[in-house]
Amino acid sequence: MRIVIVGAGIVGAALADQLAARRGGDVVLIDRSSPGWGTSRASFAWLNANQKQPRAYFDFSVEAMREWGDLAAEFGEPSWYQPVGNLAWARSAPACEELVERVDRLRAWGYGAEVITASRAQKLEPNVMIPSDAQIAFFPDEGYVCGRRAAQALVQRATSLGATLITDKEVSELVVSQHQVTGVRLADGQRIAAETVVCCAGWRSPELLAPLGIDLALTASTPGSGARGLTVTIGGITPRPDRVIHTPELDVRPNGEGQLLLEASDIDRRVDMAGENDPLDGCAQELLTRARILIPAAASATIVEASLCVRPLPLDGHPLVGPVAGQQGLYIAVSHSGITLAPALARHVAPELLGAESPVLRHYRPDRTSTRIPLRRADGGSF
Ligand SMILES: Cc1cc2nc3c(=O)[nH]c(=O)nc-3n(C[C@H](O)[C@H](O)[C@H](O)COP(=O)(O)OP(=O)(O)OC[C@H]3O[C@@H](n4cnc5c(N)ncnc54)[C@H](O)[C@@H]3O)c2cc1C
């Protein structure tokens, strides 16, 4: 009755944790690298349901935010979970209008959201230059997670419950016998049999599934596809802001002692269009320049790390979760906004793998037609 999970990013790690609690010794988690070292490591990792639509997807995201709170309580309020709130502002007339409309909609849906004055925002974040003419909103229940450390903690708990972790081994193929996936083969030739294989390989999932004739509805990872992004960690900032901050020029959040993580949607687009070997130093430097304008204490900050990363971005933006018709023994769990969603995905997928179908996941089946759930990407970002 073995279940093999391919991929120990935040999605695979959360699932291993949930499954191990039910079937410890039957769970095998395999990663070509180590837990949390893929997209989850460099993700902006903002926990939110801020721009999630339609309502079912919003509700699922809110459930996931609650799950993170519950998980953190179980782990003794670890530093990888930071429900610090999110401050966002807009300047242009259409963006201001959109922000106010969004706050109204979110409030009507029972979500923590309020329009606040510049002086209130300045009290919340005294170390940030907040324009006095901006339209500002505060979302107190949002926050961020350190994806790599959260994945490591979840995997550690799964192994303590009996799950087996195999690191630095690539799954080179899914083994199929008469339309039934019966296990995986590792790059070194080793074969591991399984009753069910769960594909949690993030943006690399299509290459694993293609030999089975499965064309996963995931955006390509090639330049210009919209899947690639750049996050930059800068260090040496004291005092630094405490919250997630979204401005028209820059997205910022804390990233450990004296450090900030930076991203910007226009820079992501520039990075996305760059060739495979184009240097990205200029883009990283531009993020640092913007941070220096926004945060006075970043005047002498330096770049600690710049990460080019790939979003596992389904064509319609929504998770791809479930079995595949005509292919027994295979289950797929690949999602954008996977940091936010991972614990809720795991909470629903684990019982499903053991036979109890989840009504929530019916919206997200991998073989849904791309017209069933409309594509929504909000002004270049889609979190
Ligand atoms: C720039 C950027 C910003 C983002 N911002 C946010 C945000 O603010 N909020 C949010 O919720 N989400 C955000 N996301 C999306 C989020 O980071 C991802 O949805 C999430 O990290 C996906 O997790 P995962 O476990 O599916 O994938 P990954 O973390 O990539 O994990 C997949 C794992 O599978 C392993 N693997 C792959 N192929 C194989 C193989 N053949 N054999 C063995 N192992 C294999 C990899 O080594 C990896 O560890 C962002 C993404 C990017 C790129």
Side-chain angles (χ1 to χ4, degrees):
M1 299 296 281
R2 186 185 287 145
I3 299 173
V4 165
I5 302 170
V6 183
I10 197 68
V11 172
L15 180 59
D17 176 53
Q18 281 294 317
L19 277 174
R22 296 163 170 84
R23 295 267 296 271
D26 296 333
V27 180
V28 178
L29 178 62
I30 307 172
D31 201 285
R32 64 198 294 278
S33 173
S34 59
W37 210 252
T39 303
S40 303
R41 181 183 68 89
S43 175
F44 191 72
W46 167 33
L47 291 186
N48 76 97
N50 201 301
Q51 297 180 35
K52 307 294 175 70
Q53 292 199 59
R55 182 67 197 253
Y57 186 46
F58 168 82
D59 288 341
F60 189 44
S61 304
V62 171
E63 178 191 337
M65 290 167 70
R66 268 198 304 269
E67 289 279 354
W68 272 115
D70 294 348
L71 262 184
E74 289 169 23
F75 279 88
E77 306 303 339
S79 59
W80 43 255
Y81 171 69
Q82 293 288 335
V84 288
N86 167 37
L87 202 57
W89 67 79
R91 305 287 294 276
S92 71
C96 291
E97 201 179 314
E98 187 281 325
L99 186 59
V100 172
E101 275 173 13
R102 186 165 12 122
V103 167
D104 286 347
R105 185 188 70 244
L106 290 170
R107 288 173 71 88
W109 286 358
Y111 193 75
E114 53 184 315
V115 169
I116 63 170
T117 61
S119 62
R120 165 108 191 271
Q122 200 67 75
K123 280 201 190 91
L124 287 171
E125 285 297 352
N127 303 308
V128 175
M129 302 293 286
I130 299 174
S132 55
D133 61 343
Q135 183 72 65
I136 309 173
F138 183 50
F139 306 93
D141 303 329
E142 298 178 357
Y144 68 94
V145 157
C146 171
R148 181 176 58 82
R149 289 198 291 125
Q152 286 171 337
L154 290 162
V155 169
Q156 200 171 22
R157 187 163 79 172
T159 54
S160 75
L161 292 167
T164 302
L165 171 67
I166 300 175
T167 58
D168 302 306
K169 300 270 186 195
E170 174 133 16
V171 171
S172 57
E173 64 173 308
L174 305 179
V175 180
V176 182
S177 171
Q178 294 173 342
H179 299 293
Q180 167 96 30
V181 174
T182 56
V184 298
R185 184 167 285 109
L186 305 184
D188 63 9
Q190 188 189 347
R191 191 184 149 175
I192 300 174
E195 187 198 22
T196 307
V197 174
V198 189
C199 175
C200 295
W203 68 273
R204 293 177 186 273
S205 298
E207 70 194 38
L208 202 59
L209 299 170
L212 277 61
I214 298 169
D215 184 11
L216 197 63
L218 205 68
T219 307
S221 57
T222 46
S225 66
R228 304 190 313 158
L230 180 74
T231 56
V232 168
T233 301
I234 59 172
I237 308 135
T238 316
R240 63 149 168 74
D242 293 323
R243 293 174 178 75
V244 181
I245 300 176
H246 287 85
T247 82
E249 296 82 22
L250 191 65
D251 302 336
V252 188
R253 68 157 171 87
N255 197 26
E257 198 65 30
Q259 295 192 348
L260 294 171
L261 189 76
L262 316 176
E263 195 191 352
S265 52
D266 64 315
I267 300 278
D268 274 353
R269 282 194 289 277
R270 211 190 297 171
V271 163
D272 188 50
M273 293 309 293
E276 296 288 357
N277 299 317
D278 288 358
L280 297 172
D281 302 5
C283 291
Q285 206 60 43
E286 171 68 25
L287 287 171
L288 175 59
T289 302
R290 294 183 193 186
R292 285 179 171 153
I293 294 167
L294 185 69
I295 300 150
S300 54
T302 52
I303 294 175
V304 175
E305 185 182 37
S307 304
L308 173 66
C309 35
V310 183
R311 297 177 172 86
L313 189 58
L315 294 179
D316 63 11
H318 292 222
L320 297 161
V321 187
V324 178
Q327 193 70 75
Q328 300 295 307
L330 176 66
Y331 192 100
I332 294 170
V334 177
S335 184
H336 182 41
S337 297
I339 300 279
T340 299
L341 296 177
L345 285 170
R347 180 74 68 185
H348 289 275
V349 169
E352 217 169 58
L353 287 167
L354 303 176
E357 197 175 336
S358 160
V360 171
L361 296 180
R362 74 179 192 279
H363 300 288
Y364 308 118
R365 298 311 183 196
D367 48 7
R368 66 179 178 263
T369 66
S370 53
T371 48
R372 252 186 69 192
I373 302 175
L375 172 65
R376 282 192 75 90
R377 291 204 73 196
D379 63 342
S382 44
F383 311 118

